[in-house]
């Protein structure tokens, strides 16, 4: 069994560490146990694992300590393909695509996010910061597509400082809140990053 202590680590770091462990043992298979200190991390780890077709069990040890176990089968070709191909991160630093007319830019970005839902392998992670934080909030015209991506296993994280700056933290409608360390960690571990 591979054990990961993610106590005190904000989302999405526990998810990143769990996915890294899956990559490490994907050929030999085995059991991964991740310890976290909040239920949001539990749900996000379970969602990621389910998106990869893996079985999970979770348990509350105390109010501030939970474990999630992920069963990784030995030599699963489909899992190997999914883990190796799903390492795309898309970072949205604005609520429009390109320069020029803002209405056109908003329309193009909505179309781009919809196109992500049509990919055979969806992105591993979407990051939203600066004015891109508006895209994950109530009233955004991209919410249905973002929720569909979450259902397909994509992690969605929005910068907490940006939500605070624009005073929209209370209306976050999809994904979790992260910080700049989390954004940096996701980008540093990604095989490919697309920036907007």
């Amino acid at each position: 069994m591979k054990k990961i202590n993610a106590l005190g680590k904000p989302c999405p770091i526990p998810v990143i560490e769990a996915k890294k462990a899956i990559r490490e043992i994907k050929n030999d298979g085995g059991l991964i146990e991740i310890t976290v200190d909040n239920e949001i991390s539990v749900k996000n780890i379970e969602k990621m694992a389910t998106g990869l077709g893996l079985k999970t069990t979770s348990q509350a040890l105390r109010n501030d300590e939970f474990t999630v176990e992920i069963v990784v089968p030995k030599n699963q070709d489909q899992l190997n393909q999914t883990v190796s191909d799903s390492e795309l991160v898309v970072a949205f630093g604005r609520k429009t695509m390109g320069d020029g007319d803002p209405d056109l830019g908003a329309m193009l970005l909505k179309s781009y996010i919809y196109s992500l839902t049509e990919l055979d392998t969806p992105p591993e992670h979407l990051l939203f910061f600066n004015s891109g934080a508006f895209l994950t909030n109530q009233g955004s015209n991209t919410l249905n597509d973002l929720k569909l991506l979450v259902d397909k296993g994509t992690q969605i994280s929005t910068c907490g400082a940006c939500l605070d700056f624009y005073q929209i933290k209370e209306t976050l409608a999809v994904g979790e809140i992260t910080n700049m360390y989390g954004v940096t960690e996701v980008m540093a571990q990604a095989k490919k990053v697309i920036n907007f």
Side-chain angles (χ1 to χ4, degrees), residues 7-29:
L7 293 171
K9 296 183 179 180
C11 263
I13 294 170
V15 175
I16 294 167
E17 292 188 0
K19 200 158 205 178
K20 184 177 178 184
I22 292 169
R23 288 188 193 109
E24 290 172 358
I25 70 166
K26 67 183 181 183
N27 293 326
D28 299 324

Side-chain angles (χ1 to χ4, degrees), residues 14 24 26 28 35 58 60 68 72 74-75 82 94 107 151 153 155-156 165 179 181 183:
E24 290 172 358
K26 67 183 181 183
D28 299 324
T35 306
S58 60
V68 183
V72 181
K74 188 174 182 178
N75 291 326
T82 304
R94 56 201 302 180
M107 183 180 72
D151 291 341
Q155 296 291 311
I156 292 180
F165 180 85
N179 54 34
Y181 178 80
V183 170

Side-chain angles (χ1 to χ4, degrees), residues 8 22 75 82 85 95 97-98 107 110 132 139 162 173:
I22 292 169
N75 291 326
T82 304
D85 286 353
K95 58 183 178 179
M97 187 177 197
M107 183 180 72
K110 177 177 175 23
C162 306

Side-chain angles (χ1 to χ4, degrees), residues 43 45 50 61 68 70 79 87 93 100 103 110 131 161 164 169 188 196:
K43 290 185 189 323
I45 291 167
T50 301
L61 304 178
V68 183
I70 303 172
L79 173 63
E87 297 172 359
D103 292 334
K110 177 177 175 23
S131 66
D164 285 337
K169 185 178 272 185
F196 282 99

Side-chain angles (χ1 to χ4, degrees), residues 42-57:
V42 171
K43 290 185 189 323
N44 288 333
I45 291 167
E46 290 174 336
K47 197 178 297 180
M48 176 274 297
T50 301
L52 293 174
L54 302 175
K55 293 184 180 177
T56 66
T57 56

Side-chain angles (χ1 to χ4, degrees), residues 25-40:
I25 70 166
K26 67 183 181 183
N27 293 326
D28 299 324
L31 191 64
I32 299 168
E33 181 186 88
I34 307 107
T35 306
V36 296
D37 58 13
N38 63 83
E39 290 186 57
I40 293 173

Side-chain angles (χ1 to χ4, degrees), residues 53-195:
L54 302 175
K55 293 184 180 177
T56 66
T57 56
S58 60
Q59 180 181 354
L61 304 178
R62 295 192 296 268
N63 284 342
D64 60 349
E65 192 171 322
F66 307 82
T67 60
V68 183
E69 289 187 354
I70 303 172
V71 179
V72 181
K74 188 174 182 178
N75 291 326
Q76 289 277 316
D77 291 338
Q78 184 178 0
L79 173 63
N80 291 349
Q81 183 72 20
T82 304
V83 172
S84 63
D85 286 353
S86 65
E87 297 172 359
L88 169 65
V89 171
V90 185
F92 298 88
R94 56 201 302 180
K95 58 183 178 179
T96 61
M97 187 177 197
D99 295 319
D101 185 85
D103 292 334
L104 174 61
M107 183 180 72
L108 292 173
L109 194 58
K110 177 177 175 23
S111 179
Y112 177 80
I113 291 173
Y114 167 75
S115 298
L116 292 177
T117 70
E118 296 296 310
L119 294 176
D120 290 337
T121 304
E124 178 176 354
H125 214 123
L126 302 182
L127 300 170
F128 296 87
F129 50 90
N130 209 324
S131 66
F134 285 97
L135 297 169
T136 55
N137 268 252
Q138 292 172 13
S140 168
N141 65 0
T142 62
L143 275 185
N144 289 339
D145 294 326
L146 292 177
K147 288 177 180 176
L148 181 57
L149 284 166
V150 167
D151 291 341
K152 291 184 173 187
T154 299
Q155 296 291 311
I156 292 180
S157 302
T158 304
C159 163
C162 306
L163 292 169
D164 285 337
F165 180 85
Y166 290 116
Q167 299 179 0
I168 55 174
K169 185 178 272 185
E170 300 304 316
T171 57
L172 182 69
V174 63
E176 74 259 354
I177 296 172
T178 190
N179 54 34
M180 197 47 63
Y181 178 80
V183 170
T184 304
E185 189 85 11
V186 171
M187 287 184 165
Q189 293 191 14
K191 285 197 171 178
K192 183 175 183 181
V193 178
I194 297 173
N195 282 292

